[in-house]
């Protein structure tokens, strides 16, 4: 009995430390690569950590980069609980951002932030949600797989946004939109508190935190979430239980679109104040990794997004010494190691 | 050669603290049919998996044909002449019979080319020798379940197996197919093959087996000649107490008509007529049993009654619940009228395996006001309800049951009790639709569930019972309809059923004639 007890404790301990071990292993692999190109990994990693976690500015950058990843991570996680794989975060974020930038620019410059900020946020959410509703409609009406439609709509969104920036909302001769109304600027934490000086981290961070908590509560504490999980775990049984499964497919995808669309709030309202072509590219895809890494648990997504934010900005800080590609390998290795370790531990049990 | 084909000597298998087998010892004579019976979780399957090389025992020895063996893998088992027919067949449906038989052991000519002909010749030899006729070039998917099973048996014979293990072989067969299987097994045994059969159908054990080993909670209780056993003695050994194989019940006193099905036709998306002019009615306070072999329209009838016809199906006729037409209504609307439904496939339709017991016990009733609070669930009420149901329906688990436990950890019988508890206690219940309510459920729990169903009837609830087990229909139903090719072919009235129930075996045969 005692022996079993210890074994259980050990396995619990291992369980908890598993992602950490996987991350360490990935860093070790990255270290080997750094040695291979003739640099000292201790020095490089040391520089990276001191420049990210060692300064207020660095921490601010990490948080700023984690913010959109929380949102796109949630945009994957919520439909995932209903058994859907939303790969369309990329397109939903792009559309949300362009709508946010366009509406933000159309607002009167004198409009109070109390109105302008909510309007900007709603615009971003509506943009993303409307894009996702196409996927939702095709899924519920015609049974088209959301995986296919969401991928294809990403490309459509790229093209549409490119067109809009070039011909509609852009400044001629550039690849960016005009600046949004001052009232819709999302305050930076720097300006509010003096923390994280000069870094672009802004109030969107708290919005993302609140939304992660909200998604968690909805999924695990409400009747809607109970039904949603039932739909994801056993669609047929859910239908037998009298659950309107299409409603959950529809709503979770549209909510996911709104979440991804809010990426625009962080980027346009909190950082650039305009949309520059390609500005939010990649966050949607990274969001898939963020969610998958933690089994789509809404609260753990916060940790996962932080890790990716750290890797993202960390790569930039050592750009002069080590090429960006090396660090992309480390990033990919983290994902692979964590997922492989999950499988390996499952087999050991 | 030794007269003993297999000897289990003190076989013990542990999973953590749980003993799946605890020093099990018995021997199986060559050329005999030996049945292993026991409730779910008694350790039968574990023991067979050890014999087939899927598990290694923690202690004890296996003696095969007089030699002590450690069986390392199924491949090793086959080498030793041991083959197994699993409950779910291991066949590749789009391939032909020959291709399935040689799969994994393909004869080759000119080093690379598959020699199909060689297999066909061998197959004909085997077919003739054992009287197992089969057309070699037919695709397995197009064969009946009985013939698919025959392919499985031939597969083993093709590999020179002389010890055949069959796991619940009759679960999916029609009565006629069962007869044929028994004939086959007897003739296989006659020429010196040894048959080990795992089952929970006691009638079959008595008819087929030479000897019976009874297991309970991982231990071997007794091994006895089938000739000296009765259903009652076997049931008592299996459960550890006296079991009522037929529940006592008084005569039904039916009232108003609750469910009225008139001339229903159901054509599925492929254009196959699944229901063909089916009519029946169920009154309050009676149990109407539908007897029939699976695939004669029962599933479609159930889907229709629960508002879930398949996409593309066309339906005509009328279904009324107390004069309210229910065709076209959703499951939720139908439930709201006072209907509840225990679906035929519990795991697929009635529970969410990774949800807790308490989440499952309200599944499909989770929108009832009582269980809800302002934003989420009223956990206090929910838990109280769950605790009440668990004790009322005697739900048990190895570790002592808790509402938090995953329902997937419960045995099949206990899962079914949870589903039954949920469906039988719906507020304002008027019609209970039960499909295969005791499939995969232990004898002890069957008695319990039957009792609850009769109690529901006595509370003036109308019950529609669909079961492939004729014994179950006979012991529960007040009126019986025999379904065949989508219509009720013969109906037995309440007085007829009451009279014929006195000779159940005869009645079973009579019913058998109307369903095949």
């Amino acid at each position: 009995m005692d022996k079993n007890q210890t074994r259980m404790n050990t396995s619990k301990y291992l369980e908890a430390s598993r992602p950490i071990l996987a991350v360490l292993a990935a860093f070790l692999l990255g270290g080997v690569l750094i040695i291979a190109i003739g640099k000292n990994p201790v020095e490089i990693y040391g520089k990276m950590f001191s420049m990210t976690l060692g300064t207020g500015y660095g921490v601010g950058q990490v948080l700023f980069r984690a913010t959109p990843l929380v949102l796109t991570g949630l945009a994957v996680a919520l439909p995932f609980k209903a058994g859907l794989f939303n790969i369309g975060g990329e397109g939903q974020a792009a559309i949300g951002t362009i709508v946010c930038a366009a509406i933000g620019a159309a607002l009167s410059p004198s409009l109070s932030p109390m109105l302008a900020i909510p309007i900007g946020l709603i615009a971003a959410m509506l943009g993303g949600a409307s894009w996702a509703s196409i996927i939702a409609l095709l899924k519920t009406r015609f049974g088209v797989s959301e995986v296919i439609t969401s991928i294809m709509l990403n490309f459509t969104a790229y093209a549409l946004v490119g067109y809009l920036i070039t011909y509609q909302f852009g400044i001629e001769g550039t690849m960016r939109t005009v600046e949004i109304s001052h009232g819709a600027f999302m305050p930076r934490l720097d300006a509010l508190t003096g923390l994280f000086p000069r870094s672009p981290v802004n109030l969107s961070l708290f919005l993302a935190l609140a939304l992660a908590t909200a998604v968690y509560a909805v999924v695990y504490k409400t009747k809607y979430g109970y039904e949603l999980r039932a739909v994801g775990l056993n669609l047929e049984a859910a239908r037998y239980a009298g659950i309107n499964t299409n409603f959950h497919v529809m709503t979770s995808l549209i909510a996911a679109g709104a979440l991804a669309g809010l990426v625009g709030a962080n980027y346009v309202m909190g950082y650039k104040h305009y949309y520059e072509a390609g500005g939010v590219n990649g966050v949607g895809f990274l969001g898939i990794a963020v969610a998958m890494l933690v089994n789509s648990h809404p609260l753990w997504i916060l940790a996962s997004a932080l890790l990716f934010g750290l890797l993202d900005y960390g790569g930039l800080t050592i750009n002069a010494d080590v090429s960006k590609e090396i660090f992309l390998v480390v990033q990919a290795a983290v994902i692979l190691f964590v997922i492989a370790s999950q499988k390996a531990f499952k087999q050991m049990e | 050669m030794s007269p003993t084909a297999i000897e289990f000597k003190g076989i013990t298998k542990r999973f953590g603290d749980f003993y799946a087998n605890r020093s099990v010892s018995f021997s199986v004579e060559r050329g005999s049919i030996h049945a292993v019976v026991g409730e779910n979780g008694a350790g039968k399957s574990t023991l067979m998996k050890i014999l087939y090389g899927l598990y290694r025992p923690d202690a004890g020895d296996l003696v095969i044909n007089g030699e002590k063996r450690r069986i390392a893998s199924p491949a090793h088992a086959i080498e030793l002449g041991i083959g197994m027919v699993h409950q779910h067949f291991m066949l590749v449906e789009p391939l032909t019979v020959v291709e399935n038989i040689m799969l994994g052991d393909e004869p080759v000519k000119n080093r690379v080319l598959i020699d199909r002909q060689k297999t066909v010749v061998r197959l004909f030899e085997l077919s003739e020798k054992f009287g197992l006729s089969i057309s070699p070039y037919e695709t397995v998917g197009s064969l009946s379940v009985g013939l698919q099973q025959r392919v499985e048996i031939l597969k083993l014979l093709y590999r020179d197996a002389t010890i055949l293990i069959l796991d619940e072989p009759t679960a999916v067969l029609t009565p006629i197919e069962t007869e044929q299987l028994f004939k086959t097994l007897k003739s296989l045994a006659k020429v010196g093959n040894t048959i080990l059969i795992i089952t929970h159908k006691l009638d079959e054990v008595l008819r087929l087996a030479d000897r019976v080993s009874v297991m309970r909670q991982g231990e071997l209780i007794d091994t006895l000649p089938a000739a000296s056993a009765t259903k009652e003695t076997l049931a008592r050994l299996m459960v550890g107490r006296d079991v009522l194989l037929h529940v006592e019940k008084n005569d039904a006193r039916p009232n108003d008509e609750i469910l009225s099905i008139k001339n229903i036709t159901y054509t599925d998306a492929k254009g196959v007529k699944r229901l063909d002019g089916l009519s029946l009615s169920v009154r309050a306070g009676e149990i109407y049993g539908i007897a029939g072999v699976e695939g004669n329209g029962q599933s479609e009838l159930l889907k229709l009654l629960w508002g879930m016809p398949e996409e593309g199906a066309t339906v005509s006729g009328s279904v009324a619940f107390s004069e309210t037409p229910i065709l076209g209504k959703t499951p939720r609307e139908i439930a709201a009228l006072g209907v509840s439904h225990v679906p035929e496939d519990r795991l697929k339709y009635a529970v969410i395996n990774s949800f807790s017991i308490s989440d499952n016990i309200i599944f499909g009733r989770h929108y009832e006001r009582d269980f809800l609070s302002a934003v989420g669930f009223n956990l206090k009420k929910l838990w109280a309800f769950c605790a009440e149901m668990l004790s009322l329906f005697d739900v048990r688990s190895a570790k002592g049951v808790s509402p938090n436990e995953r329902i997937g950890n419960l045995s099949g019988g206990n899962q079914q009790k949870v589903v039954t508890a949920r469906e039988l206690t719906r507020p304002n219940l008027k019609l209970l639709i039960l499909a295969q309510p005791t499939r995969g459920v232990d004898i002890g729990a069957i008695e319990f569930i039957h009792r609850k169903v009769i109690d529901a009837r006595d509370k003036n609830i109308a019950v529609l019972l669909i079961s492939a087990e004729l014994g179950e229909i006979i012991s529960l139903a007040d009126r019986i309809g025999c379904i065949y090719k989508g219509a009720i072919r013969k109906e037995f009235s309440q007085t007829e059923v009451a009279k014929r129930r006195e000779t159940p075996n005869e009645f079973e045969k009579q019913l058998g004639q109307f369903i095949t």
Side-chain angles (χ1 to χ4, degrees):
Chain A
M1 190 66 203
D2 265 342
K3 205 174 154 194
N4 270 329
Q5 199 66 41
T6 352
R7 195 188 299 158
M8 243 170 68
N9 285 341
T10 325
S11 84
K12 228 180 196 172
Y13 176 72
L14 272 176
E15 169 103 21
S17 60
R18 179 207 295 161
I20 298 164
L21 289 175
V23 171
L24 284 179
F27 274 105
L28 272 177
L29 180 74
V32 173
L33 285 175
I34 293 171
I35 292 171
I37 59 166
K39 305 270 163 135
N40 179 353
V42 179
E43 214 170 89
I44 302 279
Y45 281 142
K47 186 172 172 191
M48 184 194 99
F49 280 111
S50 70
M51 286 182 74
T52 49
L53 303 180
T55 69
Y57 174 76
V59 174
Q61 276 286 358
V62 170
L63 291 175
F64 169 70
R65 277 152 210 274
T67 306
L69 298 181
V70 172
L71 296 167
T72 51
L74 292 172
V76 174
L78 180 64
F80 198 75
K81 292 290 172 198
L84 301 163
F85 199 10
N86 175 25
I87 308 186
E90 191 75 13
Q92 291 145 21
I95 299 292
T97 309
I98 189 77
V99 173
C100 180
I103 300 284
L107 292 177
S108 144
S110 57
L111 194 64
S112 127
M114 295 298 280
L115 278 174
I117 289 178
I119 290 174
L121 292 176
I122 289 169
M125 288 199 286
L126 282 179
S130 61
W131 203 244
S133 68
I134 302 174
I135 305 168
L137 266 175
L138 287 169
K139 174 85 182 176
T140 51
R141 276 289 160 80
F142 306 110
V144 187
S145 160
E146 77 285 359
V147 175
I148 295 168
T149 51
S150 60
I151 290 184
M152 297 321 283
L153 279 170
N154 285 341
F155 298 115
T156 318
Y158 283 156
L160 182 63
V161 164
Y163 167 81
L164 290 174
I165 293 181
T166 316
Y167 297 105
Q168 296 293 331
F169 307 121
I171 302 170
E172 243 187 81
T174 69
M175 281 303 281
R176 48 161 284 204
T177 61
V178 297
E179 194 163 90
I180 57 169
S181 152
H182 263 270
F185 283 20
M186 189 80 100
R188 292 194 178 180
L189 297 189
D190 176 11
L192 290 175
T193 63
L195 288 171
F196 320 120
R198 287 174 298 106
S199 81
V201 63
N202 57 75
L203 279 184
S204 309
L205 173 70
F206 294 107
L207 184 65
L209 271 172
L211 285 170
T213 319
V215 169
Y216 168 78
V218 166
V219 169
Y220 290 104
K221 304 287 176 200
T222 65
K223 174 171 151 260
Y224 174 83
Y226 170 86
E227 293 187 341
L228 184 86
R229 283 179 292 133
V231 170
L233 290 166
N234 189 338
L235 185 72
E236 276 298 296
R239 292 180 61 209
Y240 262 83
I243 294 170
N244 183 353
T245 55
N246 272 348
F247 172 75
H248 292 86
V249 169
M250 199 83 184
T251 48
S252 65
L253 280 172
I254 289 177
L259 287 163
L262 279 174
V263 164
N266 183 51
Y267 176 82
V268 173
M269 294 161 66
Y271 174 44
K272 288 275 191 185
H273 305 137
Y274 55 80
Y275 188 0
E276 187 167 15
V280 294
N281 286 13
V283 287
F285 291 132
L286 218 45
I288 298 171
V290 167
M292 291 299 121
L293 204 57
V294 290
N295 221 349
S296 286
H297 192 286
L299 292 180
W300 279 105
I301 278 179
L302 294 173
S304 175
L306 265 183
L307 172 67
F308 278 90
L310 175 70
L311 290 172
D312 187 15
Y313 185 63
L316 279 181
T317 59
I318 51 171
N319 213 358
D321 308 279
V322 177
S323 77
K324 206 174 116 197
E325 283 71 21
I326 294 288
F327 222 72
L328 282 177
V329 173
V330 177
Q331 216 178 54
V334 170
I335 303 173
L336 294 176
F337 274 98
V338 171
I339 288 169
S341 73
Q342 277 168 356
K343 296 278 179 219
F345 274 89
K346 225 169 232 164
Q347 267 167 24
M348 274 167 61
E349 283 152 18
Chain B
M1 255 209 237
S2 107
T4 309
I6 313 162
E7 202 178 343
F8 296 94
K9 278 176 139 176
I11 297 287
T12 296
K13 177 71 189 172
R14 270 195 326 263
F15 295 104
D17 291 337
F18 176 72
Y19 281 83
N21 287 151
R22 196 192 287 260
S23 48
V24 173
S25 303
F26 68 95
S27 55
V28 181
E29 286 162 30
R30 185 187 318 287
S32 73
I33 300 180
H34 194 115
V36 181
V37 298
E39 297 199 295
N40 293 322
K44 302 169 297 201
S45 296
T46 306
L47 192 67
M48 291 307 122
K49 281 178 178 163
I50 288 171
L51 178 60
Y52 193 53
L54 287 166
Y55 291 153
R56 308 269 181 86
D58 293 317
D61 292 313
L62 274 172
V63 182
I64 309 293
N65 293 327
E67 277 183 65
K68 204 169 113 180
R69 301 281 190 182
R70 295 199 71 86
I71 301 174
S73 65
H76 188 201
I78 290 166
E79 230 170 84
L80 295 172
I82 302 169
M84 182 156 175
V85 176
H86 298 267
Q87 194 176 354
H88 303 285
F89 302 152
M90 307 288 171
L91 295 169
V92 187
E93 294 205 343
L95 295 186
T96 63
V97 171
V98 191
E99 286 166 336
N100 265 288
I101 288 198
M102 64 187 185
L103 196 66
D105 192 10
E106 302 89 352
V108 175
K109 60 184 173 191
N110 303 335
R111 286 171 181 270
V112 284
L113 299 173
I114 285 184
D115 192 352
R116 215 174 250 115
Q117 205 47 43
K118 204 169 166 185
T119 310
V120 175
V121 171
R122 193 67 215 292
L123 182 57
F124 275 126
E125 283 171 20
L126 290 170
S127 294
E128 202 155 310
K129 189 169 166 196
F130 298 109
L132 294 167
S133 60
I134 195 127
S135 24
Y137 297 114
E138 230 165 314
T139 52
V140 162
S142 67
L143 299 178
S144 70
V145 178
L147 285 176
Q148 290 188 2
Q149 190 177 55
R150 182 171 289 183
V151 176
E152 283 279 25
I153 293 173
L154 281 164
K155 223 165 89 182
L156 302 183
L157 297 174
Y158 179 79
R159 285 162 178 71
D160 298 318
T162 54
I163 297 172
L164 307 184
I165 310 166
L166 293 101
D167 187 2
E168 300 281 359
T170 62
V172 288
L173 300 185
T174 65
I176 290 174
E177 286 172 330
T178 305
E179 284 311 311
Q180 278 167 346
L181 173 71
F182 285 4
K183 240 184 249 164
T184 305
L185 294 179
K186 281 184 176 161
S187 71
L188 284 171
K190 205 175 247 169
V191 294
N193 293 294
T194 308
I195 316 280
L196 251 173
I197 170 171
I198 307 176
T199 184
H200 68 270
K201 293 187 185 169
L202 299 179
D203 286 316
E204 295 180 350
V205 172
L206 297 177
R207 267 168 53 210
L208 179 70
D210 300 309
R211 294 210 302 156
V212 193
S213 291
V214 184
M215 294 188 70
R216 189 202 315 153
Q217 289 170 2
E219 290 178 58
L220 187 89
I221 302 301
D222 200 1
T223 298
L224 61 166
S228 72
T230 65
K231 260 174 97 169
E232 283 72 20
T233 53
L234 288 179
R236 190 185 317 118
L237 289 170
M238 276 167 69
V239 183
R241 62 179 164 83
D242 278 323
V243 178
L244 289 171
L245 293 169
H246 293 282
V247 275
E248 302 289 320
K249 61 166 193 166
N250 23 353
D251 291 338
R253 277 177 313 202
N255 292 307
D256 306 343
E257 188 175 271
I258 295 290
L259 177 69
S260 158
I261 303 173
K262 282 197 186 117
N263 204 19
I264 280 284
T265 312
Y266 181 111
T267 312
D268 69 13
K270 287 181 194 150
V272 182
K273 223 174 218 184
R274 297 294 180 176
L275 293 175
D276 192 2
L278 182 136
S279 301
L280 64 86
S281 71
V282 189
R283 289 167 294 172
E286 74 166 351
I287 301 175
Y288 187 99
I290 296 185
V293 178
E294 271 177 74
N296 276 289
Q298 295 96 322
S299 304
E300 288 74 16
L301 177 62
L302 286 168
K303 284 187 177 137
L304 216 55
L305 291 177
W306 198 239
M308 295 186 61
E310 296 153 301
E311 232 168 280
T314 46
V315 178
S316 70
S318 75
V319 180
F321 172 84
S322 300
E323 284 160 22
T324 315
I326 59 170
L327 281 186
K329 286 201 188 313
T330 65
R332 191 154 163 187
E333 287 165 344
I334 292 170
L337 292 171
V339 184
S340 88
H341 177 29
V342 176
E344 42 186 345
D345 189 334
R346 178 178 58 235
L347 284 177
K348 214 160 149 196
Y349 304 125
V351 300
I352 304 266
N353 216 6
S354 51
F355 272 12
S356 65
I357 296 173
S358 65
D359 277 352
N360 269 295
I361 211 150
I362 56 161
F363 188 51
R365 294 179 52 184
H366 56 276
Y367 43 77
E368 283 173 22
R369 276 255 55 96
D370 267 2
F371 300 130
L372 296 175
S373 69
V375 280
F377 289 106
N378 184 338
L379 292 178
K380 219 167 143 191
K381 269 194 186 166
L382 201 161
W383 279 56
F385 172 71
C386 187
E388 189 194 332
M389 287 301 118
L390 293 183
S391 79
L392 207 60
F393 282 78
D394 192 30
V395 178
R396 291 181 220 170
S397 111
K399 287 173 274 175
V401 70
S402 128
N404 253 338
E405 195 173 339
R406 263 177 50 132
I407 199 161
N409 293 345
L410 296 182
S411 70
N414 280 298
Q415 288 184 21
Q416 189 72 344
K417 282 183 189 169
V418 171
V419 174
T420 312
R422 181 178 81 204
E423 299 304 333
L424 250 52
T425 55
R426 273 187 196 260
N428 191 30
L429 180 64
K430 294 198 188 77
L431 170 65
L432 178 61
I433 303 168
L434 292 172
Q436 321 293 358
T438 56
R439 171 169 293 171
V441 172
D442 295 327
I443 310 190
I446 289 178
E447 178 193 349
F448 184 87
I449 290 174
H450 282 179
R451 189 71 255 156
K452 290 287 177 190
V453 172
I454 290 168
D455 288 348
R457 179 203 73 173
D458 290 343
K459 280 184 218 144
N460 205 31
I461 290 168
V463 181
L464 179 65
L465 168 73
I466 295 183
S467 175
E469 302 277 342
L470 292 179
E472 177 161 82
I473 297 274
I474 292 171
S475 69
L476 281 185
D478 300 309
R479 286 194 299 140
I480 296 175
C482 298
I483 195 171
Y484 181 70
K485 292 199 172 158
I488 297 293
R489 196 191 206 179
K490 163 82 183 169
E491 198 169 87
F492 291 90
S493 71
Q494 192 179 345
T495 40
E496 280 176 305
V497 171
K499 205 173 100 208
R500 288 169 205 238
R501 180 180 289 128
E502 283 159 26
T503 51
N505 289 340
E506 222 125 284
F507 195 15
E508 212 166 296
K509 272 192 199 124
Q510 266 174 344
L511 289 173
Q513 284 167 3
F514 290 106
I515 59 175
T516 47

